[in-house]
Amino acid sequence: KDWHISTMNKKEIVNILLEIAKLLEISGADFFKVRAYKSAARALETSEIKIDTDLDTRELVKIKGIGKAIAEKSGE
């Protein structure tokens, strides 16, 4: 199934980011990459941004804690 931000709510996206962090951790990925996904999840969760329409990655990178790479991957 293709996931589109416009079809998911913020909590679902946060959960996916946390799941990616867990999977990266299990696979032995770099600590900083794992931490980046966890930080992005926390940043999104505590942000005031509303996800009810298509969200441009430029909006995501405005949230402190979400980098360009994770913002771009969120659209995948």
Side-chain angles (χ1 to χ4, degrees):
K1 179 179 181 178
D2 290 331
W3 296 102
H4 298 283
I5 288 178
S6 61
T7 63
M8 295 189 301
N9 64 40
K10 187 174 9 178
K11 184 174 178 153
E12 290 171 318
I13 297 169
V14 167
N15 287 336
I16 288 171
L17 290 172
L18 290 173
E19 185 70 22
I20 291 170
K22 286 179 194 175
L23 293 172
L24 288 169
E25 196 169 28
I26 289 168
S27 71
D30 180 69
F31 166 80
F32 296 103
K33 190 172 197 174
V34 173
R35 187 172 71 176
Y37 275 91
K38 288 179 180 180
S39 294
R42 280 191 304 274
L44 181 59
E45 185 173 40
T46 60
S47 76
E48 296 296 322
I49 196 165
K50 295 194 185 310
I51 300 177
D52 53 4
T53 60
D54 285 334
L55 183 64
D56 192 313
T57 57
R58 291 175 293 198
E59 293 298 315
L60 284 177
V61 295
K62 290 179 184 176
I63 301 171
K64 184 177 180 175
I66 298 181
K68 183 179 176 184
I70 291 178
E72 288 175 352
K73 289 178 183 170
S74 68
E76 294 177 4

